[in-house]
């Protein structure tokens, strides 16, 4: 590991933050914290913390000695000065004389002594930072250090590698107890340059930001050097199928198996997004004959358990010739869930009850022959789970190559997983209505498609955007974080199949289809040629069928129902003059909706339609609106609001109708009119 300190960049940080009144030491604290946070071999996703001791003025202008420590919710890789909460130091130091400090009291003391009450909650390890007298303190969960110390004789190995330069602290749950014990270890030899926390991580100290940071780099490098020596071969390979299933075969089945049925709302599920990973290191790990042993012993550091559970689910070999593989996956996940419930009951009894069980679904799945999968209620959560699982693979591999991976025990894992201060890191926000669901939207670069995609994403869905215009859909996707833009010709079955494969690879499956793409051709029906009519049917009918058929195939693999939504048109029931080439296939699509509702309702797959009219879009352009309003002798405004309510209907109104249908779990074969009121087009 190499130091990433660049003197020029450090000076630039001091100058940049100094213009906002940030002291130089705090600016350098931010700079080196970012250096640590940007290296995944040191910290991942909010893990680790840093601090600096300063003197600064409080809100009434009085100077106070403070500890500026990373606040909860901030990521070290992107932290800014506001992410380092300034806490009065003297009250914190007084706590060391206490025999014990309950967690809730510790949090109250820390918040009560914030210089700025609007600051984030200080790190759960604030007291450890306070009790160590050094000006700068850095803490990471470096993979190499964890490989070194997650061993039966981890403390002895640490002493062999570091000698007297680092103190060693036995495992204790973070909080006051760990802080007090660490301070006691430090006091026995104040010359140590840092502390190794058994089965947890590493602290380094320094008189300035660079010294603390580069000591971290040096100590991690020492661990890496040790791990490179005297390695043994690991993970004897088990039997691997000659023809393995693909990710697109596996992901929908896994998603369905992990989905949790809502017992209070019939038809509702807690669903998960998936993130797939594969590499030589990962495959060597998951293909091991004893993967069910070494992969399931526990987490590499306690901080990970809230994101990954205490172990992964190991799936059966993904053998393409095994017709019973899907049932075996469901059995493996069901066994994991049963084991988790038993674990919770056992541990909850140990602590005297009072805990509420988290959802029991796995967050990491290992698939021999294929790779690993992270699962989460959002794309971000799935990515975090996959990142942490990948880090665990590397850490356990190195630990096994030099000894035997030995993490904290079950009691400690439970205490950390159900520790309120750890759970607080996840936040208490209520999941969004479409959280965990995957929506495919066609015609996504158009007005209605874009409005629908933005609304569904805002409601928590992972959205895949299909459009024939590659550049246009890619540009539109920039406005939706995490959106997957895909060039797709919905009239080409192969293009559709390829696009769906990319969706399943990226997210894991499909829960909602908004089949929205279309175009309007005109002409009196007795005078249009067959080529034009067939062209309209290809886009305005057969494309809907192609999209729906493939979505249903994936939904049935998942086994959790789904929702097919179609943009039909008022032309399907209230045709306009010379609009036959558009209205005829739309009428057929209306009956397609009802057929899907009829054929797949028993499997929980709903099919609904929206009949919209006079929406400014690619079908109803500004030039067309001008032409039609002039032909009728009315203003453009009156033309667009020529309905019972006298209101212009917008793409956002159509998107709201699609959302309502997506959330209506007991509605199918519905046609919702979004036209401001047109009795001739009303179905009911």
């Amino acid at each position: 590991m190499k130091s990433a300190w660049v003197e020029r960049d450090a000076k630039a940080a001091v100058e940049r933050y100094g213009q906002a009144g940030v002291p130089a030491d705090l600016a350098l604290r931010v700079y080196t914290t970012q250096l640590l946070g940007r290296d995944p071999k040191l910290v991942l996703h909010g893990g680790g913390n840093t601090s600096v001791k300063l003197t600064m003025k409080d809100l009434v202008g009085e100077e106070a000695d403070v500890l500026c420590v990373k606040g909860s919710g901030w990521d070290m890789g992107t932290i800014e000065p506001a992410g380092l909460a300034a806490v009065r130091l003297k009250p914190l130091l007084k706590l060391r004389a206490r025999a014990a400090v309950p967690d809730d009291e510790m949090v109250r003391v820390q918040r009560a002594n914030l210089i700025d009450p609007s600051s984030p909650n200080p790190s759960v390890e604030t007291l450890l930072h306070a009790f160590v007298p050094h000006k700068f303190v850095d803490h990471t969960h470096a993979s190499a250090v964890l490989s070194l110390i997650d061993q039966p004789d981890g403390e002895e190995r640490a002493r062999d590698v570091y000698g007297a330069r680092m103190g060693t602290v036995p495992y204790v749950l973070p909080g006051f107890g760990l802080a007090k014990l660490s301070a006691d270890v430090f006091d026995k030899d104040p010359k140590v340059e840092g502390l190794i926390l058994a089965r947890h991580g590493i602290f380094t100290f320094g008189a300035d930001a660079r010294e603390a940071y580069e000591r971290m780099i040096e100590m991690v490098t020492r661990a890496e050097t040790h791990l490179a020596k005297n390695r043994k071969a690991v993970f004897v390979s088990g039997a691997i199928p000659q023809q393995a299933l693909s990710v697109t075969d596996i992901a929908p089945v896994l998603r369905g198996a992990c989905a949790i049925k809502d017992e209070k709302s019939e038809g509702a599920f807690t669903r998960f997004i998936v993130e797939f990973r594969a590499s030589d290191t990962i495959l060597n790990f998951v293909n091991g004959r004893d993967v069910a042993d070494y992969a399931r012993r526990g987490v590499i550091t306690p901080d990970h358990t809230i994101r990954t559970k205490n172990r992964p689910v190991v799936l059966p070999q993904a053998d393409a010739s095994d017709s019973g593989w899907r049932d075996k996956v469901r059995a493996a996940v069901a066994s994991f869930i049963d084991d988790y419930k038993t674990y919770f009951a056992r541990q909850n009894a140990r602590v005297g009850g009072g805990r509420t069980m988290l959802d029991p679904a796995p967050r990491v799945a290992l698939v021999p022959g294929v790779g690993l999968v992270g699962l989460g209620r959002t794309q971000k959560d799935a990515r975090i789970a996959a990142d942490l699982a990948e880090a665990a693979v590397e850490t356990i591999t190195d630990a096994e190559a030099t000894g035997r991976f030995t993490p904290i025990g079950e009691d400690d894992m439970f205490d950390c997983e159900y520790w309120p201060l750890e759970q607080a890191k996840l936040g208490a926000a209520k999941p969004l209505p479409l959280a965990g669901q995957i929506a495919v939207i066609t015609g996504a670069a158009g007005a209605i498609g874009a409005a629908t995609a933005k609304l569904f994403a805002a409601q928590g869905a992972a959205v895949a955007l299909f459009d024939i215009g590659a550049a246009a859909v890619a540009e539109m996707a920039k406005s939706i974080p995490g959106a997957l833009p895909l060039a797709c010709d919905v009239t080409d079955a192969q293009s559709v199949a390829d696009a769906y494969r990319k969706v399943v690879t990226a997210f894991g499956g499909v829960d909602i289809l908004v089949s929205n793409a279309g175009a309007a051709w005109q002409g009196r029906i007795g005078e249009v040629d067959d080529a034009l009519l067939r062209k309209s049917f290809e886009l305005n009918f057969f494309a809907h069928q192609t999209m729906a058929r493939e979505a249903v195939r994936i939904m049935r693999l998942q086994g959790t129902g789904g929702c097919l939504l179609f943009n039909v048109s008022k032309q399907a029931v209230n045709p306009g003059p010379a609009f036959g080439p558009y209205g005829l296939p739309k009428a057929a699509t209306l009956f397609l909706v009802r057929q899907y509702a009829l054929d797949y309702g028993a499997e929980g797959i709903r099919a609904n339609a929206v009949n919209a009219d006079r929406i400014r879009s690619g079908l109803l352009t500004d030039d067309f609106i001008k032409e039609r309003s002039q032909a009728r002798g009315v203003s453009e405004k009156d033309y667009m609001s020529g309905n019972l309510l006298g209101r212009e209907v917008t793409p956002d109104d159509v998107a709201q109708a699609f959302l309502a249908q997506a959330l209506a779990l007991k509605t199918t074969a519905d046609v919702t009119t979004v036209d401001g009121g047109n009795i001739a087009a009303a179905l009911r």
Side-chain angles (χ1 to χ4, degrees):
M1 186 164 286
K2 305 294 183 184
S3 171
W5 177 284
V6 176
E7 189 65 27
R8 179 183 63 255
D9 294 343
K11 289 180 179 178
V14 170
E15 181 178 351
R16 181 172 68 256
Y17 290 123
Q19 292 175 357
V22 175
D25 281 339
L26 184 55
L28 291 173
R29 175 70 291 172
V30 171
Y31 172 64
T32 55
T33 301
Q34 291 176 352
L35 295 183
L36 294 169
R38 291 169 185 168
D39 190 334
K41 292 188 178 297
L42 293 174
V43 292
L44 283 167
H45 300 295
N49 39 70
T50 61
S51 70
V52 60
K53 298 176 180 71
L54 301 169
T55 298
M56 64 170 52
K57 291 183 179 180
D58 61 18
L59 295 181
V60 296
E62 294 182 356
E63 288 198 340
D65 293 332
V66 300
L67 173 76
C68 293
V69 64
K70 196 198 86 163
S72 182
W74 281 82
D75 188 285
M76 287 173 63
T78 57
I79 199 166
E80 292 294 329
L84 288 157
V87 193
R88 295 179 187 275
L89 186 57
K90 290 181 180 179
L92 300 183
L93 295 176
K94 289 180 180 179
L95 291 178
R96 189 178 172 189
R98 302 262 294 269
V101 178
D103 291 334
D104 58 346
E105 183 178 346
M106 178 182 74
V107 172
R108 288 200 306 272
V109 169
Q110 291 173 179
R111 283 214 62 83
N113 286 283
L114 286 170
I115 291 294
D116 183 348
S118 66
S119 296
N121 279 339
S123 165
V124 297
E125 286 157 334
T126 293
L127 293 183
L128 198 163
H129 286 264
F131 293 171
V132 171
H134 287 273
K135 186 177 181 68
F136 286 83
V137 178
D138 294 0
H139 171 46
T140 73
H141 303 142
S143 297
V145 173
L146 293 173
S147 295
L148 174 70
I149 63 177
D150 282 359
Q151 301 281 350
D153 57 347
E155 293 180 47
E156 182 181 338
R157 289 174 182 241
R159 284 191 287 269
D160 288 343
V161 171
Y162 299 116
R165 294 183 64 185
M166 300 287 285
T168 56
V169 183
Y171 178 79
V172 175
L173 185 72
F176 175 78
L178 176 61
K180 189 175 178 70
L181 179 60
S182 298
D184 290 345
V185 170
F186 176 84
D187 285 349
K188 290 178 181 178
D189 186 1
K191 292 183 291 186
V192 295
E193 300 168 41
L195 298 172
I196 299 295
L197 276 53
R199 295 177 172 84
H200 180 151
I202 175 174
F203 276 78
T204 55
F205 319 134
D208 57 53
R210 183 170 188 172
E211 182 177 49
Y213 166 72
E214 292 193 334
R215 277 181 175 170
M216 178 66 70
I217 300 304
E218 180 191 355
M219 298 307 174
V220 174
T221 300
R222 283 177 169 268
E224 291 175 331
T225 301
H226 175 83
L227 295 172
K229 299 176 181 178
N230 303 317
R231 294 174 68 88
K232 63 184 179 184
V234 291
F235 311 145
V236 175
S237 182
I240 302 301
Q242 289 186 340
Q243 185 176 357
L245 292 167
S246 68
V247 176
T248 54
D249 297 319
I250 295 166
V253 176
L254 177 61
R255 281 191 80 227
C258 293
I260 301 170
K261 185 178 292 186
D262 188 335
E263 300 300 335
K264 296 181 180 179
S265 179
E266 193 172 4
F269 290 85
T270 295
R271 294 180 172 91
F272 298 94
I273 309 298
V274 307
E275 172 93 4
F276 172 74
R277 300 287 171 84
S279 66
D280 289 344
T281 300
I282 290 172
L283 288 173
N284 185 50
F285 186 89
V286 302
N287 292 345
R289 182 184 60 200
D290 301 319
V291 63
D293 168 32
Y294 53 74
R296 289 165 48 84
R297 290 180 200 156
V299 292
I300 59 175
T301 185
D303 192 59
H304 290 188
T305 189
I306 59 171
R307 299 285 193 177
T308 65
K309 300 291 188 186
N310 52 20
R311 60 190 58 178
V313 60
V314 180
L315 300 186
Q317 293 179 359
D319 189 343
S321 66
D322 184 355
S323 60
W325 184 80
R326 181 179 177 184
D327 291 335
K328 291 177 182 177
V329 170
R330 293 188 180 278
V333 173
S335 177
F336 179 98
I337 290 173
D338 287 343
D339 288 347
Y340 187 88
K341 291 177 178 178
T342 302
Y343 148 81
F344 175 81
R346 180 172 59 246
Q347 288 294 328
N348 195 36
R350 175 183 66 84
V351 298
R355 304 289 195 275
T356 299
M357 189 178 74
L358 303 170
D359 83 67
R363 292 302 189 271
V364 177
L366 305 182
V367 191
V370 180
L372 68 79
V373 179
L375 297 101
R377 292 284 277 137
T378 66
Q379 293 164 260
K380 178 182 178 181
D381 290 342
R383 185 174 65 254
I384 289 173
D387 284 346
L388 297 181
E390 193 166 359
V393 165
E394 295 175 358
T395 300
I396 295 171
T397 297
D398 284 344
E400 287 286 293
T402 54
R404 175 179 170 81
F405 171 59
T406 308
I408 59 174
E410 181 184 285
D411 291 358
D412 290 321
M413 275 191 280
F414 181 85
D415 291 344
C416 193
E417 183 179 8
Y418 283 86
W419 187 30
L421 298 188
E422 279 293 289
Q423 287 296 319
K425 294 180 180 180
L426 300 180
K430 184 179 179 181
L432 292 168
L434 296 180
Q437 298 202 51
I438 300 162
V440 169
I441 299 155
T442 69
I448 293 174
T452 303
K454 291 175 182 177
L455 180 61
F456 277 43
Q459 295 300 310
V463 294
L465 313 177
F466 288 18
D467 200 283
I468 196 167
V473 75
E475 183 62 29
M476 200 283 286
K478 294 177 182 178
S479 64
I480 305 177
L484 177 66
L486 294 168
C488 177
D489 180 355
V490 293
T491 67
D492 182 330
Q494 188 60 55
S495 179
V496 168
D498 290 344
Y500 268 114
R501 274 194 291 273
K502 292 174 182 176
V503 174
V504 175
T505 299
F507 299 143
V510 176
D511 302 297
I512 302 167
L513 165 65
V514 182
S515 193
N516 166 71
W521 284 275
Q522 302 180 55
R524 296 205 299 174
I525 198 62
E527 299 170 22
V528 297
D529 59 35
D530 285 352
L532 185 147
L533 193 58
R534 291 178 187 278
K535 185 176 183 180
S536 183
F537 263 90
E538 284 295 333
L539 178 57
N540 294 312
F541 172 74
F542 284 108
H544 291 296
Q545 161 64 357
T546 303
M547 288 296 304
R549 182 178 60 216
E550 187 64 16
V552 164
R553 183 188 69 80
I554 297 168
M555 290 173 182
R556 296 184 71 204
L557 286 174
Q558 294 168 166
T560 54
C563 185
L564 306 174
L565 303 175
F566 298 83
N567 187 347
V568 183
S569 169
K570 76 97 179 177
Q571 291 293 327
V573 293
N574 178 218
F579 257 21
Y582 178 61
L584 284 171
K586 286 294 188 178
T589 299
L590 181 60
F591 281 88
L592 181 73
V593 174
R594 292 174 170 174
Q595 197 65 47
Y596 270 103
L598 180 64
D599 287 349
Y600 296 101
E603 296 181 57
I605 297 174
R606 297 170 288 124
N608 296 303
V610 169
N611 278 2
D613 189 30
R614 296 193 187 180
I615 312 294
R616 293 181 189 270
S617 65
L619 301 184
L620 204 61
T621 63
D622 289 342
D623 288 342
F624 181 85
I625 293 168
K626 182 177 181 180
E627 175 188 323
R628 299 296 289 181
S629 60
Q630 288 177 348
R632 296 193 181 192
V634 298
S635 68
E636 292 184 24
K637 181 181 185 304
D638 288 343
Y639 174 74
M640 293 302 294
S641 58
N643 51 53
L644 296 177
L645 295 174
R647 300 169 183 167
E648 180 175 344
V649 182
T650 69
D652 288 334
D653 297 321
V654 182
Q656 288 288 348
F658 279 134
L659 176 62
Q661 291 179 332
L663 296 174
L665 298 177
K666 298 175 184 178
T667 298
T668 193
D670 171 64
V671 180
T672 297
T673 56
V674 186
D675 57 12
N678 179 351
I679 291 298
L683 293 176
R684 296 179 182 176

